[in-house]
Structures are given as structure tokens and as C-alpha cells.
Amino acid sequence: MAIAQINVAVVGCGVISDIYLQSLQDKFAVTNVVACSDLNPEKMQAKAEKYHIKAMNYADILADPTIQLIVNLTTPKAHYSIIKQALEHGKHVFSEKMIAVELSDGQELCELAQSKNLRLGVAPDTFLGGGIQTARYMVDHGLIGDPLSVVVSLNRNFRVYADIFPHMNQRGGTLPFDTGCYYLTALASILGPAKSVSAFGRRYQPERIGQRTDKPWFGEKSTVEADNILTATVAYQDGVLTTVHFNSENILNEQPQMTLFGSDGILKMGDPNNFDSPNYLTKQLNEPVKFPFTHGFLENSRGLGVADMAWAIQQNRPHRASMEMAYHVFELIHGMYQSAETETVYHMQSTFDRPQPLPTGYLDNGFWGPTEESALAF
């Protein structure tokens, strides 16, 4: 049976676009990338030539009836406008994180997609990789007993990162939104919705001077627009309590941590920013054991959420990187900031249904077995 492809256009030709374009062209049979767009015409033309696709301005992409799905890889401040225009023109959208900058804008986009019966998916899609899917398998099969508590910690150096990508010091681009969402999305896919959050925040060295001589903002002043150190306690609807620590003012030596403590064991997960994060299981009076992967997509597979959406459109089933889960994580981060600012507990307003796990066993693209993509097709 021939696979009916979904025609895709990529908007935003920055650093992350290469892995998306490679995956959507080479890894997945269901997606057919036909065009790319960027405000920088030279960058757009270079990507188009590299991947043998059309260079098109965004207005022409919106007007093209053959393009069914838009992958939005622009910076957070542009997400609301790009997504809204696409939905208004009848296009399905998969967006890089996060759905918007302002919470009300994210809610509006979800309502618009729902009213037009269109798909809206949002990164991160790393929770569909072998690492997080294996962790979910372990929890769902009771290998740690009842999940009781979680410790999450992420450190980075935004004095370096944000001097390369200035949006990281702007509203909607700080560490909880930029990278912390990988951790919170992974937990959402495993534990389900959060109920409430209480947080404290600090804005360390809010005034910055551009340090990179290769950037046009060298020597220019900028301001960190939101707290860049954040700690929080999250209560999930299933009773699990989570301690969260985000610090973007540390050093480049990252020490990511995401550990689930259950009644019968401890699950230490790897970095949810990766697809191949290993999982270590500790049972009572035993040493930690590296658990074998139960799922595929162990290589960098950004675009996996796009492919899952494309298959979901054809199969008339929910796509896994859903707007409901993405908005819930988006609200949770906003709730952390609101709690820290007001010194009150923030009570979540949104909820979502946990996405269906991928089927087990589709581990590679070897000659003797089905492809990894087959996990999305059935």
C-alpha cells in the first residue's frame, strides 16, 4: 500500500531547522517537505538549495492549497502570529516550543485550532524518543511501584547561551520555557496533569552587556526580562509531589537530573532533551541497573512529533504532542512565575489526557524488522 504523504513547509531557517529538515526528509515516509521560509532571504535560499525544496515567502505558503502542514521554527515572540495566520488559512501546525509567550495567546490559539478542526502540535517531541518512552513503560508496568515523588534539576549558563540567542533572556524564552519544558513535558507524559504549584524566583544580574565580538549586539546593554533562577513544588493530580530547580546562571557543565521515587523502587532518567536518555532502576537493597530500551527513536529525531501528527491526520486519531498537553505545561511554567511573584499557590486551570504510549519493539530500521516509523502507523 502506498503511503499518502502530507505536504509540509518549514518556517524559520535557523540552527534547529537542519535536524527537522533531515528527519522529515530522510527518516519519515509520511512527510513530504516542499518549501521553507525565513525573513532572511539568503538564509532561506541556502536551506532551499541544500534540501532541494522551494524558497517561498510566508504569504505564498499560506496561499498554497497543496501545503497542508506548517512547521514553525521561529523564535517564541513570533509563534503567536505565525501559528494564528496558519490556522486562519486552514493549515495544520506543529510549532517549536513554546506555543506562545503570553498565556492568553496560547489559549486563543488552542481555541482557534479547535474551532477550525485543525491540528496544533507543539514541541518538545523528545518524550516520544526511546528514553522517555522506556521510562513511561517502566512506570506503567509498576517497576517502581506507586510513583510518589520526583526531583528535577537543570542548570545552564545563559551568560553564554543568551549572548548567542538573545531571546533566551526575554519573556517566554527563559530557562523554564526554553529547556525546562523538556523535563515538564516528559513528566506530563508519564504522570498526567498537574494540580497546583508553589514557587520562588530570583533575577540574577538583570543588566547584561553583549560579550561576543562576532554579534551585532557586542557591547550593547540588554535586560533579563524574567527571573532566571526558579524553584518550585508541583502537586500532580495523581498525588505525586515534584521538586523543581531551574538555574540558568550556573556554568556550562550541565548536571541534569530527573529522578522518580516510587513505593518499590527508584527510576533515574537521563536528559529529556535527548532521545536516547538511559534509564536506571534501583530496587530495594540492590545496585542501580541500566534498563534496556523498549522503544526506538534513539537518534536525534526532532520532527518525530510532526510525523506522528501526519500519521494521526491520516488515521483520524489524536496526535501525541498535543496542544492540550503543551498548553498545560505552558500554563504550569506561567504558574511558577505567578506564584513566585505573588507568593501564593497557583492552581492549574487546564488539563489534558495523557498521550497514548508508542507501541514497544520498534527499535531500529534493520533489514529483519519493521521500521521505527511503523510505531506511528499502527
Side-chain angles (χ1 to χ4, degrees):
M1 180 180 71
I3 296 174
Q5 292 185 312
I6 299 289
N7 288 340
V8 176
V10 171
V11 179
C13 296
V15 174
I16 198 66
S17 65
D18 279 302
I19 187 59
Y20 270 91
L21 287 162
Q22 291 167 19
S23 293
L24 295 176
Q25 282 193 337
D26 302 334
K27 189 179 288 287
F28 303 112
V30 74
T31 50
N32 178 36
V33 183
V34 297
C36 66
S37 182
D38 196 278
L39 292 176
N40 183 327
E42 293 180 358
K43 187 183 295 185
M44 174 176 65
Q45 191 62 44
K47 293 293 183 191
E49 292 176 1
K50 181 177 180 179
Y51 294 100
H52 308 289
I53 55 180
K54 293 180 181 178
M56 299 175 65
N57 65 52
Y58 192 44
D60 289 339
I61 288 175
L62 294 175
D64 190 332
T66 67
I67 296 174
Q68 301 154 276
L69 195 159
I70 288 175
V71 177
N72 173 31
L73 305 182
T74 60
T75 57
K77 281 190 174 181
H79 285 186
Y80 171 75
S81 175
I82 293 292
I83 295 172
K84 185 175 182 179
Q85 290 180 71
L87 294 173
E88 288 176 337
H89 283 80
K91 312 290 188 186
H92 305 291
V93 183
F94 186 90
S95 179
E96 253 298 322
K97 83 285 179 187
M98 303 221 53
I99 191 172
V101 172
E102 303 301 334
L103 188 61
S104 59
D105 288 343
Q107 183 176 18
E108 179 188 338
L109 293 174
C110 291
E111 291 172 351
L112 179 60
Q114 189 173 34
S115 70
K116 290 185 170 292
N117 196 30
L118 291 167
R119 303 295 184 119
L120 173 55
V122 186
D125 57 6
T126 48
F127 76 93
L128 295 173
I132 304 302
Q133 287 293 301
T134 298
R136 175 167 175 178
Y137 175 92
M138 296 168 70
V139 173
D140 287 353
H141 285 77
L143 297 185
I144 62 168
D146 294 325
L148 300 175
S149 62
V150 184
V151 173
V152 167
S153 180
L154 171 63
N155 67 292
R156 280 196 161 189
N157 187 346
F158 271 29
R159 284 163 288 171
V160 174
Y161 278 92
D163 206 16
I164 302 171
F165 305 106
H167 72 269
M168 291 182 173
N169 277 336
Q170 299 170 359
R171 278 180 56 83
T174 51
L175 184 63
F177 292 104
D178 180 73
T179 317
C181 63
Y182 291 92
Y183 294 72
L184 299 176
T185 299
L187 288 182
S189 71
I190 294 171
L191 301 176
K195 181 173 64 173
S196 57
V197 59
S198 179
F200 293 94
R202 179 186 178 189
R203 198 173 313 189
Y204 177 73
Q205 293 184 348
E207 301 300 323
R208 303 289 167 95
I209 302 292
Q211 301 290 315
R212 295 187 63 92
T213 57
D214 61 337
K215 298 296 183 183
W217 49 82
F218 171 71
E220 294 185 2
K221 292 182 179 180
S222 63
T223 301
V224 178
E225 296 181 0
D227 289 348
N228 46 25
I229 302 172
L230 203 63
T231 63
T233 301
V234 181
Y236 284 83
Q237 289 184 12
D238 65 358
V240 175
L241 301 179
T242 298
T243 299
V244 178
H245 162 252
F246 294 137
N247 183 342
S248 65
E249 303 308 308
N250 192 228
I251 59 178
L252 288 172
N253 306 61
E254 295 179 22
Q255 304 292 320
Q257 179 180 352
M258 188 156 62
T259 305
L260 282 69
F261 297 85
S263 58
D264 296 326
I266 300 171
L267 167 57
K268 183 175 178 57
M269 304 168 62
D271 185 351
N273 195 4
N274 299 323
F275 285 81
D276 60 349
S277 299
N279 296 283
Y280 293 87
L281 175 64
T282 303
K283 302 293 283 188
Q284 187 151 270
L285 301 179
N286 283 275
E287 293 298 314
V289 175
K290 186 176 181 180
F291 198 83
F293 289 110
T294 57
H295 292 73
F297 297 113
L298 298 173
E299 297 178 351
N300 190 344
S301 301
R302 279 172 169 81
L304 174 54
V306 181
D308 179 67
M309 178 188 286
W311 279 107
I313 291 169
Q314 306 221 18
Q315 298 165 343
N316 194 29
R317 62 161 173 84
H319 57 279
R320 292 176 170 89
S322 70
M323 65 180 182
E324 292 87 358
M325 184 169 72
Y327 177 79
H328 186 80
V329 171
F330 187 52
E331 184 195 0
L332 179 58
I333 299 173
H334 273 282
M336 291 178 184
Y337 275 106
Q338 183 171 319
S339 173
E341 181 179 346
T342 62
E343 298 184 354
T344 60
V345 175
Y346 179 88
H347 297 280
M348 297 291 291
Q349 302 299 306
S350 64
T351 189
F352 67 96
D353 293 326
R354 264 203 323 164
Q356 286 293 314
L358 290 174
T360 60
Y362 299 93
L363 290 171
D364 59 35
N365 294 311
F367 179 82
W368 297 109
T371 63
E372 288 179 324
E373 188 175 7
S374 301
L376 311 178
F378 299 104

